[in-house]
């Protein structure tokens, strides 16, 4: 979330809606704003957005709906309830923590077939094309990451959210352990799943940190998990391992309330000049082909804003 003063527009409050921890959303689209800042057209300060307590409590409130607590549905698991070890897997994009990691992170991003979809005959060139794009984009992206401290805080923030979520669940009588799985950088989703299985977790809530569902975000992580399940169906046998997914939560009252709180907090600083303030809701775009294929992201973004 950023507040900027632009002479032609007055004060502009930019609200990023694409993920719960929006620092990488800013870094990914920072170049136009950096150009405005350098030209002098944009002045003011940037407001950092931290995970809100409402978001943690909101997610914790879902747990009874996933067969936890006193409102449980019949479990598929065999054995006594005391043998059930609960885990929460937080899925996120990931991001380079150092500027030297930016190009390799971008390569992983563009090497994903849900990000760049190539026709069949040229699919073998995905890696080559991904490296070419990554090397070209790296300088601009390094500048963007430098503007937010020299790297992505996404892993740190997501880990903090998971820890706070586990604490909140503990206060509600549900003992659970949180795990973080990033799609394009460390700790990778594969590492998180290996740890989940090693820890003997047998009830898992998979929670993408993207409020809105898209093929290119939640869908990509789900595709990866599906591949892992198919490779090791014995470990994921529903009789011994029960899991569920939260596909989207853009319209959950707790999330909407948290966003409104952030916006009102920033607007309060300009209460004497309310007519000069404009609010711009910003989000990552998706190709039109995704929308035509049924990707709900655009509609969910619009509903979230409403």
């Amino acid at each position: 979330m950023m507040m900027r003063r632009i002479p032609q527009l007055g004060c502009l409050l930019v609200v990023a809606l694409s993920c719960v921890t929006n620092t990488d959303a800013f870094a990914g689209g920072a170049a136009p704003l950096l150009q405005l800042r350098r030209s002098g057209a944009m002045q003011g300060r940037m407001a950092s957005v931290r995970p809100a307590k409402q978001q943690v409590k909101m997610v914790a409130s879902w747990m009874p709906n996933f067969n936890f607590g006193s409102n449980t549905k019949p479990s598929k698991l065999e054995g006594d309830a005391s043998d059930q070890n609960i885990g929460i897997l937080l899925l996120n994009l990931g991001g380079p923590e150092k500027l030297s990691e930016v190009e390799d992170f971008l390569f992983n991003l563009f090497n994903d077939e849900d990000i760049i979809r190539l026709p069949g005959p040229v699919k073998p060139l995905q890696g080559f094309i991904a490296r070419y794009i990554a090397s070209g984009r790296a300088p601009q992206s390094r500048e963007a990451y430098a503007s937010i401290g020299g790297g992505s805080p996404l892993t740190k923030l997501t880990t903090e959210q998971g820890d706070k979520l586990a604490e909140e669940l503990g206060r509600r009588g549900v003992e659970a352990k949180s795990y973080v799985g990033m799609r394009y950088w460390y700790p990778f989703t594969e590492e998180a799943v290996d740890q989940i299985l090693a820890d003997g977790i047998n009830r898992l809530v998979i929670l993408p940190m993207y409020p809105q569902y898209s093929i290119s975000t939640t869908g990509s992580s789900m595709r990866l998990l599906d591949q892992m399940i198919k490779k090791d169906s014995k470990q994921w046998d529903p009789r011994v391992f029960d899991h569920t997914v939260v596909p989207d939560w853009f319209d959950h009252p707790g999330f909407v309330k948290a966003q409104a709180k952030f916006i009102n907090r920033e607007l309060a600083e300009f209460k004497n000049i309310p007519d000069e303030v404009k609010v711009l809701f910003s989000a990552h775009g998706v190709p039109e082909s995704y929308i035509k294929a049924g990707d709900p992201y655009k509609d969910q973004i619009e509903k979230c804003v409403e």
Side-chain angles (χ1 to χ4, degrees), residues 28-130:
L33 298 177
L34 292 174
Q35 291 291 343
L36 283 171
R37 186 174 67 188
R38 282 198 294 263
S39 69
M42 180 178 283
Q43 302 172 1
R45 64 180 184 80
M46 183 164 40
S48 63
V49 179
R50 279 274 180 169
K53 291 181 179 179
Q54 292 100 316
Q55 293 170 333
V56 171
K57 292 183 177 179
M58 164 192 72
V59 175
S61 70
W62 295 335
M63 296 305 156
N65 297 325
F66 300 122
N67 306 337
F68 302 148
S70 59
N71 297 327
T72 59
K73 301 175 183 178
S75 175
K76 301 176 185 177
L77 296 180
E78 298 174 349
D80 189 84
S82 61
D83 296 328
Q84 296 176 8
N85 299 317
I86 300 170
I88 307 160
L89 174 58
L90 276 60
L91 299 176
N92 217 328
L93 182 81
E97 297 184 4
K98 297 182 291 186
L99 296 181
S100 60
E101 299 172 345
V102 168
E103 184 172 333
D104 287 339
F105 162 73
L106 291 175
F107 169 78
N108 291 339
L109 178 69
F110 296 125
N111 198 38
D112 181 0
E113 63 185 48
D114 284 322
I115 299 297
I116 295 181
R117 292 188 164 186
L118 299 176
V122 294
K123 273 187 179 295
L125 298 177
Q126 180 100 29
F128 174 81
I129 294 172

Side-chain angles (χ1 to χ4, degrees), residues 148-165:
I148 59 171
S152 169
L154 194 61
T155 298
K156 179 177 179 291
L157 294 179
T158 306
T159 300
E160 288 177 1
Q161 286 178 298
D163 292 343
K164 294 294 183 182
L165 177 55

Side-chain angles (χ1 to χ4, degrees), residues 127-142:
F128 174 81
I129 294 172
R131 180 59 69 184
Y132 178 79
I133 298 174
S135 62
R137 288 278 296 273
Q140 184 182 46
S141 294
R142 286 193 193 98

